[in-house]
């Protein structure tokens, strides 16, 4: 099988060239490892989040949604253990001034190299001079209210999960659910990462998609298996090639203090196998801690049996930016068509930022008018674009690079018989379709089963 054409540099360049993702604050010289999403990036990431919501809410009936605040009572982070323990011990090199995560050094993580002697891992080059591991707190601190004084300290949440635990009682009361049931949330989280990098893979401000699934304690091991399989499958259903995905179970030494079992869904990024999402069996740690710190009872009372218990929690925790990067990397392709290099994003149609582009072949003879009429008929039901400028070849290349599955071209024949050509992004086949049947035709094709053409 030929090696993938994709590299991180090519993704970064395409994202900038086509307005998906830019370095933030560029006019001020930039601020390291911080990114802004442009039009197509917003559409793509929104589709990723919507697919997550769909799999959590529309396709099941045992999960409810939540949107909790980013600023929470500081005691939340004492109870969760973040204030004391949310640190990655780090090791500095006195020679090259680079900083490395101690756990990455210990496990000799792939891709980790001494900046001065890249053939060696850090610490093993002739001039390496590493410090002992030191702790850093990764939470962003801020103050609430106009005056900085004691008691006004607050933290930007480093994960969305705690907002779910502290609302357990509210949700139980109003959702009419009983375990097993889940609470799902999507939103921004903030971590003062010591070593951000690799584009949007690791940033200090990012979006998470987390779901806490509350179960009767004896059912926890089975639900852990169910959620690992379900989350692994989700990425494949959205087109990621199976050979680029794996589930890696954490060994005993790697487990967090609260977790009895954790597995990572990993994707083979251009930087090597890396975590996309973690699935953890958190036991009753979180509810027990918040009950202890808040004084509120956080348990479930089953009226028919008279049983009272603290549910155990299975948590699939994913990153919206990291998932978006994986979908981009997996979709990126280069091929030679009629002697010319074509760059194309072979995205699942459900993820593609734009579903259809309407292109008049020339800017005269009634073609732009007909293209506008078709665009107006389509745009209410699917993300559509009208693209009138430049040569047709250039416009196809642009749509290929943003991953638009279908291009509808209005040509001279269209004016005579009200038919248009529909060009398919992956196969490059062109089909003539009656203009008036276009919305139905495209809707059917967009909702048909899809598998990555890179799987051939
Ligand atoms: P890592 O080991 O890569 O730092 P983690 O195990 O600390 O990740 P979790 O706390 O389990 O991550 O968060 C769940 C998910 O949130 C991760 O799998 C990832 O997709 C996303 N995520 C975590 N930290 C970041 C970050 N700094 N930038 C972008 N996404 C992140």
């Amino acid at each position: 099988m030929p090696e993938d054409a994709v590299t991180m540099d090519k993704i970064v360049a395409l994202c900038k060239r086509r307005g998906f993702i830019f370095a933030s604050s560029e006019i001020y010289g930039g601020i390291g490892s911080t990114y802004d999403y442009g039009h197509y990036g917003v559409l793509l990431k929104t589709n990723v989040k919507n697919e997550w919501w769909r799999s959590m809410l529309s396709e099941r009936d045992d999960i409810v949604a939540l949107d909790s605040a980013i600023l929470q009572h500081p005691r939340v982070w004492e109870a969760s253990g973040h204030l004391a323990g949310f640190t990655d011990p780090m090791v500095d090199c006195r020679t090259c001034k680079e900083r490395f995560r101690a756990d990455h050094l210990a496990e000799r993580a792939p891709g980790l190299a001494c900046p001065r002697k890249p053939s060696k891992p850090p610490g093993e080059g002739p001039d390496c001079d590493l410090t002992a591991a030191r702790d850093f707190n990764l939470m962003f601190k801020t103050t609430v209210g106009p005056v900085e004084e004691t008691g006004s300290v607050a933290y930007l949440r480093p994960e969305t999960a705690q907002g779910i635990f502290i609302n357990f009682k509210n949700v139980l009361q109003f959702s009419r659910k009983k375990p097993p049931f889940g609470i799902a949330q999507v939103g921004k989280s903030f971590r003062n990462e010591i070593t951000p990098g690799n584009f949007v893979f690791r940033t200090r401000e990012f979006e998470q998609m987390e779901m806490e699934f509350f179960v009767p304690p004896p059912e926890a091991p089975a639900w852990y298996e169910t959620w690992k399989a379900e989350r692994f499958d989700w990425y494949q259903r959205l087109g990621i090639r199976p050979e680029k995905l794996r589930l890696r179970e954490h060994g005993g030494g790697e487990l967090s203090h609260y977790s009895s079992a954790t597995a990572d869904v990993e994707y083979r990024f251009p930087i090597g196998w890396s975590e996309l999402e973690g699935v953890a069996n958190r036991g009753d740690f979180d509810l027990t801690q918040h009950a202890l710190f808040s004084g509120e009872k956080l348990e479930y009372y089953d009226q028919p049996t008279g049983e009272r218990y603290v549910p155990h929690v299975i948590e699939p925790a994913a990153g919206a930016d990291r998932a978006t990067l994986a979908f981009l990397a997996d979709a990126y392709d280069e091929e030679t068509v009629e002697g010319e290099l074509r760059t194309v994003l072979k995205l699942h149609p459900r993820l593609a930022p734009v579903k259809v582009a309407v292109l008049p072949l020339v800017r005269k003879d009634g073609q732009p008018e007909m293209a506008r009429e078709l665009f107006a008929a389509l745009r209410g039901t699917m993300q559509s674009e009208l693209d009138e400028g430049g040569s047709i070849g250039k416009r196809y290349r642009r749509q290929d690079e943003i991953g638009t599955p279908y291009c509808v071209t209005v040509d001279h024949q269209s004016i005579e018989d009200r038919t248009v050509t529909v060009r398919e992004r992956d196969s490059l086949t062109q089909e003539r379709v009656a203009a008036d049947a276009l919305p139905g035709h495209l809707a059917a094709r967009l909702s048909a089963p899809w598998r990555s053409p890179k799987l051939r």
Side-chain angles (χ1 to χ4, degrees):
M1 186 183 292
E3 263 306 298
D4 254 335
V6 67
T7 63
M8 206 60 120
D9 286 346
K10 286 182 185 174
I11 296 176
V12 175
L14 181 125
C15 283
K16 186 174 163 90
R17 184 164 78 242
R18 294 301 180 192
F20 280 83
I21 305 170
F22 320 102
S24 182
S25 312
E26 259 182 335
I27 62 167
Y28 286 100
I31 167 166
S33 298
T34 308
Y35 296 93
D36 296 339
Y37 283 71
H39 181 64
Y40 297 124
V42 172
L43 291 173
L44 174 61
K45 189 159 74 148
T46 301
N47 291 342
V48 170
K49 291 184 284 183
N50 285 344
E51 286 304 318
W52 188 87
W53 278 122
R54 182 211 297 275
S55 73
M56 292 290 161
L57 300 183
S58 327
E59 290 173 355
R60 353 182 15 119
D61 62 0
D62 53 1
I63 298 180
V64 295
L66 179 78
D67 187 3
S68 72
I70 286 173
L71 295 176
Q72 295 164 20
H73 196 288
R75 293 270 285 166
V76 169
W77 309 112
E78 276 178 53
S80 69
H82 283 85
L83 212 48
F86 194 50
T87 53
D88 281 328
M90 302 298 296
V91 170
D92 287 312
C93 177
R94 296 185 187 94
T95 311
C96 68
K97 312 287 179 217
E98 280 290 322
R99 185 166 277 174
F100 309 98
R101 265 171 62 168
D103 57 336
H104 287 174
L105 285 181
E107 72 196 27
R108 296 172 77 93
L112 198 60
C114 166
R116 290 159 69 96
K117 192 155 176 53
S119 62
K120 300 259 184 208
E124 296 180 22
D127 306 320
C128 296
D129 183 10
L130 300 185
T131 63
R134 291 182 288 197
D135 284 349
F136 289 83
N137 196 310
L138 298 184
M139 279 202 293
F140 280 100
K141 209 186 220 176
T142 186
T143 45
V144 172
V147 200
E148 271 192 50
E149 57 189 23
T150 358
S152 65
V153 166
Y155 300 91
L156 303 188
R157 68 177 176 203
E159 59 174 38
T160 58
Q162 299 305 323
I164 296 177
F165 298 126
I166 61 175
N167 277 293
F168 175 76
K169 217 176 151 178
N170 282 334
V171 175
L172 204 56
Q173 218 165 350
F174 296 108
S175 67
R176 292 156 62 223
K177 294 271 182 250
K178 54 183 255 181
F181 81 102
I183 307 177
Q185 163 152 244
V186 172
K188 284 239 164 140
S189 292
F190 303 82
R191 297 182 189 174
N192 201 357
E193 298 275 8
I194 309 298
T195 50
N198 289 315
F199 200 33
V200 294
F201 180 84
R202 188 185 307 285
T203 51
R204 296 195 171 101
E205 174 180 347
F206 53 96
E207 262 187 295
Q208 288 189 303
M209 310 184 285
E210 296 194 296
M211 194 275 292
E212 309 301 325
F213 202 70
F214 300 92
V215 303
E219 293 179 23
W223 278 109
Y224 173 62
E225 297 304 320
T226 302
W227 279 109
K228 274 193 302 187
E230 163 57 23
R231 294 305 305 151
F232 189 69
D233 196 48
W234 183 79
Y235 293 96
Q236 293 191 47
R237 292 203 299 271
L238 289 171
I240 299 237
R241 291 162 291 167
E243 71 263 24
K244 291 275 184 176
L245 278 177
R246 72 180 185 194
L247 254 175
R248 192 180 63 80
E249 203 78 43
H250 283 205
E254 228 183 321
L255 289 174
S256 320
H257 56 287
Y258 52 74
S259 171
S260 62
T262 298
D264 288 343
V265 179
E266 296 190 331
Y267 177 71
R268 194 169 181 182
F269 285 95
I271 49 168
W273 287 104
S274 308
E275 173 180 338
L276 252 186
E277 164 161 0
V279 182
N281 179 348
R282 300 173 69 109
D284 62 2
F285 175 78
D286 307 277
L287 290 182
T288 307
Q289 282 294 102
H290 286 301
L292 192 69
F293 277 69
S294 68
E296 286 280 345
K297 270 198 181 128
L298 299 178
E299 52 188 24
Y300 177 69
Y301 176 63
D302 193 35
Q303 233 153 9
T305 64
E307 204 192 344
R308 199 179 278 283
Y309 64 88
V310 179
H312 282 204
V313 169
I314 309 300
E315 173 197 76
D321 310 270
R322 219 177 259 190
T324 300
L325 182 62
F327 287 118
L328 278 169
D330 214 66
Y332 185 98
D333 209 0
E334 289 173 354
E335 48 195 32
T336 309
V337 179
E338 291 165 6
E340 274 195 47
L341 186 72
R342 172 173 98 116
T343 303
V344 50
L345 288 184
K346 293 174 174 170
L347 286 165
H348 191 295
R350 291 233 282 250
L351 297 181
V354 175
K355 312 300 177 194
V356 56
V358 185
L359 325 170
L361 188 63
V362 292
R363 262 185 151 151
K364 55 181 186 185
D365 304 334
Q367 290 182 22
E369 290 77 7
M370 185 171 173
R372 264 171 246 153
E373 172 208 323
L374 296 179
F375 170 61
L378 291 170
R379 70 178 173 200
T381 53
M382 59 190 79
Q383 190 66 42
S384 314
E385 205 168 86
L386 178 68
D387 194 353
E388 297 185 73
S391 77
I392 191 76
K394 217 167 161 185
R395 282 180 277 160
Y396 282 150
R397 270 202 297 286
R398 182 167 170 277
Q399 295 301 332
D400 285 344
E401 287 204 354
I402 63 168
T404 307
Y406 297 104
C407 285
V408 168
T409 309
V410 174
D411 56 17
H412 58 275
Q413 191 182 328
S414 310
I415 306 299
E416 285 162 18
D417 65 4
R418 280 193 70 77
T419 64
V420 290
T421 60
V422 177
R423 170 193 185 265
E424 205 261 330
R425 176 194 71 199
D426 301 331
S427 61
L428 292 173
T429 50
Q430 303 221 17
E431 196 181 326
R432 262 206 115 80
V433 175
D436 300 320
L438 199 56
H441 174 90
L442 288 172
R445 287 181 78 174
L446 284 165
S447 59
W450 186 89
R451 85 193 266 282
S452 170
K454 292 171 84 180
L455 274 172
R456 258 191 291 270

